[in-house]
Amino acid sequence: MTLRSCAAGSEMLLAIWREFENEKLAHAYLFTGEKGVGKRTFARTLAKAILCQGEGERPCGGCRSCKRFEGGTHGNVYFPAPQPKKTTIGVDDLRSILDELSRAALDGGKRVIVINNAEKMTPASQNCLLKTLEEAPEGIYFLLVTDVERAILPTIRSRCRLVRITPWNEGRIYKALTDKGIKPERAKELTALCEGSIGRALQMQDDETYWTDRELVQRSFLIVKAMTDVPVAAQLLKDKKDDAERLLEILEQEMRLLASDIKQSGVSTRSFFPEHWQRATVQSLCRIQDAILKCKQYKFSNVGWMANAENLMMTIAEEARRWRQ
Ligand SMILES: [Zn+2]
């Protein structure tokens, strides 16, 4: 993937691509935004492009530099991360890299330091980085990536070009998914489910367990129209205690999506729901969400899980009765 195609669809990222093409890159960038919006992918592609020695669109993917980058053996790119069993990037982890960088700068080659999860830098590490940012040697680029912008010291933020990556709109996600060969029907589902995160969409696509669980939610909780449906529906969940958390998570997400559809346009066209859900109201869905939350608070034994699942279904049946009136 070239830097331009990685930036496609985002004016902000295309501006960085232009800076790159015109050799006007800033020496430090801070990429922020929600999980899965493509921050890491972009930072990684930018790092690869900076180091690429190929002709034409970069990264070319074929030159020696690109191959070493892909193979994880490129000597001019650094990815500081917490040591095994540690949760923070300590000052020593960073200092050794920074020392090496300042020595390496003398020989003129470009170097890139990519700090994914930059919020994991301790304040001491951040201060250590700050010194280098203030007197950054020529040809050295810092790409910081974080989901938690406020965890980055203001002094660091002010020395980086801040790039807030916004969630993708639905059209762009749908197109990216179908471009990857995902069938339109599935791509439509994923687009609705991923909440603007292409990363999450792709993760979901690969997660077979998710689709099996989702189908079970559809066949159990969602078929309930009346109290008389509860025993049959609950029976399907009999041996599913260990999956309880995931199933409830899916149900909750679907309730949220349905409620947001109804709020926005009065109806939902989500094919996931059996027909009687078309008459659901936002208030009703809120009450069901409350019941799901309550159900999630239990640590389940086998018996407890079934009793709780049935309770939840009875709440759904009760709400469904209101829609019929
Ligand atoms: Zn290359």
Side-chain angles (χ1 to χ4, degrees):
M1 179 165 52
T2 65
L3 188 62
R4 182 166 55 168
S5 60
C6 190
S10 161
E11 272 314 311
M12 201 169 22
L13 297 183
L14 283 169
I16 298 176
W17 167 70
R18 280 190 290 272
E19 289 170 11
F20 169 72
E21 285 292 316
N22 299 322
E23 300 190 6
K24 293 253 164 56
L25 280 182
H27 76 278
Y29 288 86
L30 173 61
F31 297 98
T32 70
E34 284 167 44
K35 270 194 178 45
V37 289
K39 304 182 293 293
R40 282 159 189 261
T41 309
F42 187 79
R44 190 179 159 82
T45 311
L46 178 57
K48 198 171 160 190
I50 290 172
L51 298 170
C52 172
Q53 293 159 340
E55 304 288 330
E57 287 266 355
R58 287 167 292 167
C60 70
C63 71
R64 185 155 170 262
S65 169
C66 284
K67 286 193 170 134
R68 285 168 64 198
F69 191 105
E70 273 310 309
T73 58
H74 203 302
N76 294 12
V77 63
Y78 306 83
F79 294 94
Q83 296 289 330
K85 293 188 184 166
K86 290 270 175 65
T87 54
T88 53
I89 303 173
V91 69
D92 291 337
D93 304 329
L94 213 54
R95 190 170 286 136
S96 57
I97 294 176
L98 295 177
D99 285 349
E100 201 184 318
L101 276 177
S102 59
R103 278 197 305 275
L106 298 172
D107 69 25
K110 287 178 180 165
R111 314 263 158 165
V112 190
I113 169 163
V114 183
I115 312 182
N116 286 316
N117 302 318
E119 74 282 356
K120 295 199 168 158
M121 286 188 288
T122 59
S125 312
Q126 295 196 38
N127 279 316
C128 171
L129 175 66
L130 184 63
K131 286 217 181 64
T132 315
L133 286 179
E134 279 169 340
E135 35 196 72
E138 190 69 21
I140 296 195
Y141 299 89
F142 293 87
L143 310 180
L144 280 59
V145 182
T146 186
D147 307 335
V148 198
E149 190 182 320
R150 63 177 189 285
I152 307 300
L153 295 178
T155 42
I156 298 260
R157 272 186 269 166
S158 68
R159 278 172 183 77
C160 295
R161 169 117 17 118
L162 180 62
V163 184
R164 288 200 181 99
I165 302 186
T166 45
W168 291 21
N169 69 34
E170 296 204 338
R172 186 176 168 211
I173 290 183
Y174 179 80
K175 183 171 181 311
L177 293 173
T178 46
D179 283 352
K180 281 187 184 294
I182 295 171
K183 295 208 173 77
E185 188 70 6
R186 175 64 70 90
K188 202 172 145 207
E189 283 289 338
L190 285 167
T191 303
L193 291 166
C194 73
E195 299 174 67
S197 161
I198 183 70
R200 202 172 304 149
L202 292 171
Q203 209 176 17
M204 284 172 127
Q205 163 66 7
D206 291 339
D207 183 358
E208 273 314 312
T209 323
Y210 172 78
W211 297 99
T212 319
D213 287 348
R214 195 156 173 275
E215 200 235 350
L216 182 58
V217 166
Q218 204 174 21
R219 283 190 296 126
S220 56
F221 290 108
L222 297 193
I223 61 147
V224 174
K225 273 194 245 188
M227 293 293 176
T228 47
D229 298 326
V230 172
V232 179
Q235 200 55 27
L236 293 168
L237 301 176
K238 195 169 51 143
D239 304 317
K240 298 292 176 188
K241 180 199 65 154
D242 293 341
D243 305 330
E245 207 167 310
R246 286 206 313 272
L247 296 171
L248 293 172
E249 203 68 51
I250 292 172
L251 183 61
E252 195 189 0
Q253 182 186 36
E254 291 295 338
M255 292 298 126
R256 210 168 51 228
L257 286 170
L258 184 60
S260 118
D261 278 2
I262 293 175
K263 247 184 234 163
Q264 274 171 25
S265 51
V267 285
S268 173
T269 52
R270 294 180 48 66
S271 56
F272 183 67
F273 287 91
E275 207 216 324
H276 64 282
W277 289 85
Q278 300 296 334
R279 293 192 296 275
T281 61
V282 173
Q283 293 82 345
S284 226
L285 295 171
C286 286
R287 284 192 289 269
I288 296 173
Q289 285 186 56
D290 285 345
I292 298 171
L293 281 180
K294 229 179 257 165
C295 192
K296 277 166 88 175
Q297 284 159 2
Y298 289 96
K299 275 271 165 255
F300 297 119
S301 61
N302 275 320
V303 179
W305 158 237
M306 284 305 279
N308 273 294
E310 278 173 25
N311 269 338
L312 181 50
M313 286 174 177
M314 283 191 255
T315 305
I316 295 176
E318 175 60 26
E319 295 301 330
R321 190 181 58 81
R322 290 172 201 253
W323 311 333
R324 279 199 303 276
Q325 283 167 355

